[in-house]
Amino acid sequence: MRNFSFVAFLLILHIFVSVCFCSSIEYIAAVVDHNAVYNANPNITKQEALKVMNANVDIYEQHIKNATLQSAQIIVFPEDGLYGAAFQTRDQVLPFLESIPDVNQTSRMIVNPCMNASFTSLPILQRLSCLALKYNIVIVANMGDVHYCNPNNSSGPCPADGRWQFNTDVVFDEKGYLIARYHKSHLYYEPQWNTPEPLQPVSFTTNFGVTFGILICFDIMFPQPQSSLLDQGITDFVFTTWWVNVPPIITATQVQQGFSSTTSSNLLASGAGTSWYNSGSGIYQSGTVIQTFYNPTDSTDEILLVGKVVSNNAKKSPQSNNKPEKKYFIDAGIRVSQKPSAPTPPPNFVATPGLKGSLTISEGDLHCNVSYTISKNSPNTNEVFAFIILNGIYNNLFDAQVCSLIRCETLASCEGMQLDTTTIFEAFELYGNFPDTNRLLPMVSMNSAQLPPNGKYTISNEKGKQGVQSTNYEETLLNISMFGLVWGN
């Protein structure tokens, strides 16, 4: 009887473990911070454009080879990684474009460019497909997609030049099949591209059992398509980007980690390795840094990051949001709006070892609070820190509510770019009374806009007191922010 009970117990335990953990999958991911080869000639020929793109794919192949040597199953390359981002007109980018077939679920097309001779007219699409097949790896890359139409045909909309041009992510599985095509939803000063109408969330499922949603750069700041993907239970995302860094606050890796943390998702982010202005890539698991890289210098870089990720597709974001979206497509100039005023100068202090204090600031219905302790081990830097607030339009781009403690060069230049600090903080707490409709991105960075080691701070989601805090930080501090994307009515 005892033996029977023990066997029964083991059987029940096995069933419990199977039910509770069967959706957890480990996979090895790779992302690349890539400095694109480019040609700035505005009158480049198709043959010259192909030479540029193949030069970048040559670099891609070296990364793919090195990633597979580390057992990577999926690799992500950055936005504009095949040709750079120096285009001012639709005609300038045209030689770089290929007509990418629609293989999303609604079309049900089965496309393997590597195994189909008819795709020789799409040489870059075909070559990427062959690399996926050759190295047995899932490849996510960014390309330019073009489809021709007749502007004189009244049956449907068509641009005046007769071309739909899209900033596009493509995904190939390990056999070279094109399994996803996604058009960027939110453009950032990109007159060469069209925006898709309607917005179409795109996901793909790999042979290793993980379903990924796709986001491109500026998409990450808006409710769609990410909310629809999160509502489907998707918890893993690929993210291609050519980010525009605005240190100390909104650098690429801070946004990436903040997104992963607030959505409890895994993010594979690949950025442009051009300099401090665009760099930033990483692999994140529910806000924990698996791998990250940010280049704070003026030089270029070429970096491969590889890490193991645990996926749980059963998880669902508590902050997914289906409210109607305010669409700000920044593709034809700046949206006219005024940035709210802030106190001049803002509340501030000069850092000295052992200094303790607290500051408050309000604008409209947003109230921000910060308390801080400078470490006794900090050098006597006399660096200036200011407490700033925003309750309105961020840089004429989107609605935001922000509470931020930042390092300033001087009080007179507190709104300028700042990457350097030597002040060591012992402890801090920053919070604000953000509404539940905001998507909150917690951001903390150290000297050179590097992310702190895991576990150096915690995040509070207490209603009316959302923020970040640390009682034993003992690191340099460039920025602490709660960056709220206003997605409510």
Side-chain angles (χ1 to χ4, degrees):
M1 184 68 178
R2 289 180 180 176
N3 289 339
F4 174 78
S5 299
F6 181 69
V7 171
F9 168 76
L10 290 179
L11 180 60
I12 293 170
L13 180 63
H14 172 75
I15 293 172
F16 173 79
V17 170
S18 298
V19 170
C20 292
F21 300 105
C22 63
S23 59
S24 294
I25 299 171
E26 286 188 353
Y27 63 92
I28 298 177
V31 301
V32 178
D33 211 63
H34 167 61
N35 177 41
V37 176
Y38 69 97
N39 186 330
N41 179 5
N43 300 310
I44 192 170
T45 66
K46 183 72 175 178
Q47 195 62 31
E48 290 169 334
L50 186 59
K51 183 178 179 180
V52 168
M53 290 190 288
N54 272 315
N56 283 296
V57 178
D58 289 344
I59 299 170
Y60 283 13
E61 182 168 9
Q62 289 303 309
H63 286 304
I64 292 168
K65 182 177 181 180
N66 291 332
T68 55
L69 290 175
Q70 299 177 64
S71 302
Q73 297 160 278
I74 181 171
I75 188 168
V76 185
F77 293 99
E79 180 185 27
D80 299 324
L82 290 172
Y83 35 68
F87 306 105
Q88 299 300 315
T89 70
R90 292 168 61 80
D91 289 342
Q92 284 179 12
V93 78
L94 181 60
F96 295 89
L97 309 187
E98 295 185 356
S99 296
I100 303 169
D102 181 6
V103 293
N104 297 326
Q105 291 181 346
T106 54
S107 68
R108 304 189 180 208
M109 290 183 67
I110 299 177
V111 176
N112 191 319
C114 188
M115 306 294 288
N116 190 329
S118 66
F119 280 90
T120 55
S121 61
L122 307 176
I124 298 302
L125 194 75
Q126 187 175 62
R127 188 176 175 194
L128 290 171
S129 168
C130 290
L131 288 177
L133 175 62
K134 178 180 178 180
Y135 291 98
N136 192 38
I137 191 172
V138 177
I139 294 177
V140 181
N142 184 263
M143 297 181 63
D145 187 14
V146 61
H147 295 275
Y148 293 89
C149 57
N150 184 354
N152 299 318
N153 189 339
S154 60
S155 63
C158 178
D161 58 10
R163 304 190 303 267
W164 290 106
Q165 299 181 176
F166 299 105
N167 181 333
T168 305
D169 275 359
V170 293
V171 184
F172 301 90
D173 73 5
E174 302 92 331
K175 302 301 181 184
Y177 285 95
L178 179 63
I179 58 174
R181 183 196 73 178
Y182 169 67
H183 294 151
K184 184 178 181 180
S185 300
H186 300 276
L187 301 177
Y188 183 86
Y189 304 112
E190 300 168 84
Q192 68 271 34
W193 305 124
N194 296 105
T195 54
E197 288 289 349
L199 305 186
Q200 294 184 343
V202 175
S203 62
F204 62 94
T205 301
T206 62
N207 291 325
F208 51 87
V210 176
T211 298
F212 291 87
I214 306 176
L215 300 172
I216 301 177
C217 203
F218 206 34
D219 289 342
I220 206 168
M221 308 304 281
F222 295 88
Q224 295 298 346
Q226 62 177 276
S227 290
S228 293
L229 296 167
L230 288 162
D231 285 341
Q232 294 172 30
I234 292 173
T235 59
D236 295 74
F237 290 84
V238 293
F239 180 58
T240 63
T241 180
W242 189 291
W243 197 257
V244 176
N245 291 308
V246 188
I249 298 178
I250 194 165
T251 57
T253 53
Q254 289 186 87
V255 173
Q256 293 162 14
Q257 185 182 32
F259 171 87
S260 174
S261 175
T262 200
T263 59
S264 298
S265 64
N266 301 328
L267 185 69
L268 315 182
S270 172
T274 57
S275 70
W276 66 268
Y277 190 54
N278 300 116
S279 174
S281 301
I283 301 171
Y284 310 88
Q285 182 175 303
S286 296
T288 297
V289 175
I290 306 299
Q291 292 276 13
T292 190
F293 176 81
Y294 172 69
N295 172 16
T297 73
D298 291 325
S299 62
T300 61
D301 63 75
E302 193 72 36
I303 302 294
L304 172 69
L305 303 175
V306 180
K308 181 182 291 185
V309 184
V310 178
S311 173
N312 183 356
N313 285 310
K315 289 187 300 185
K316 197 167 185 178
S317 167
Q319 292 201 30
S320 59
N321 187 315
N322 275 324
K323 290 184 177 292
E325 179 175 8
K326 299 177 181 179
K327 298 179 182 177
Y328 302 147
F329 299 121
I330 316 299
D331 58 351
I334 298 177
R335 172 173 169 261
V336 178
S337 57
Q338 296 298 317
K339 185 175 181 180
S341 60
T344 305
N348 62 85
F349 61 88
V350 176
T352 57
L355 178 69
K356 295 182 180 182
S358 61
L359 300 169
T360 62
I361 188 171
S362 298
E363 188 169 279
D365 57 357
L366 178 62
H367 309 291
C368 304
N369 300 268
V370 67
S371 59
Y372 56 87
T373 302
I374 307 299
S375 174
K376 294 178 181 178
N377 299 318
S378 177
N380 193 5
T381 62
N382 289 320
E383 292 177 340
V384 176
F385 288 80
F387 194 32
I388 62 174
I389 187 171
L390 171 66
N391 188 7
I393 307 298
Y394 178 80
N395 283 355
N396 291 311
L397 295 175
F398 45 75
D399 294 328
Q401 292 184 317
V402 183
C403 300
S404 185
L405 179 69
I406 61 172
R407 158 83 165 95
C408 303
E409 184 176 355
T410 67
L411 282 178
S413 62
C414 203
E415 293 188 1
M417 303 291 186
Q418 184 65 39
L419 278 166
D420 302 318
T421 181
T422 56
T423 300
I424 299 172
F425 281 63
E426 176 186 323
F428 59 79
E429 181 180 24
L430 179 147
Y431 62 89
N433 63 326
F434 298 94
D436 293 337
T437 51
N438 283 16
R439 167 60 55 78
L440 291 175
L441 303 178
M443 300 182 188
V444 180
S445 63
M446 307 186 300
N447 183 44
S448 300
Q450 302 300 314
L451 300 181
N454 292 324
K456 278 292 183 176
Y457 64 91
T458 58
I459 301 167
S460 170
N461 293 314
E462 181 182 344
K463 186 176 178 63
K465 196 178 178 180
Q466 300 96 325
V468 291
Q469 57 274 320
S470 177
T471 57
N472 188 26
Y473 184 67
E474 293 297 334
E475 302 282 354
T476 58
L477 190 71
L478 185 69
N479 158 65
I480 320 168
S481 294
M482 288 298 287
F483 200 103
L485 301 170
V486 179
W487 290 356
N489 293 324

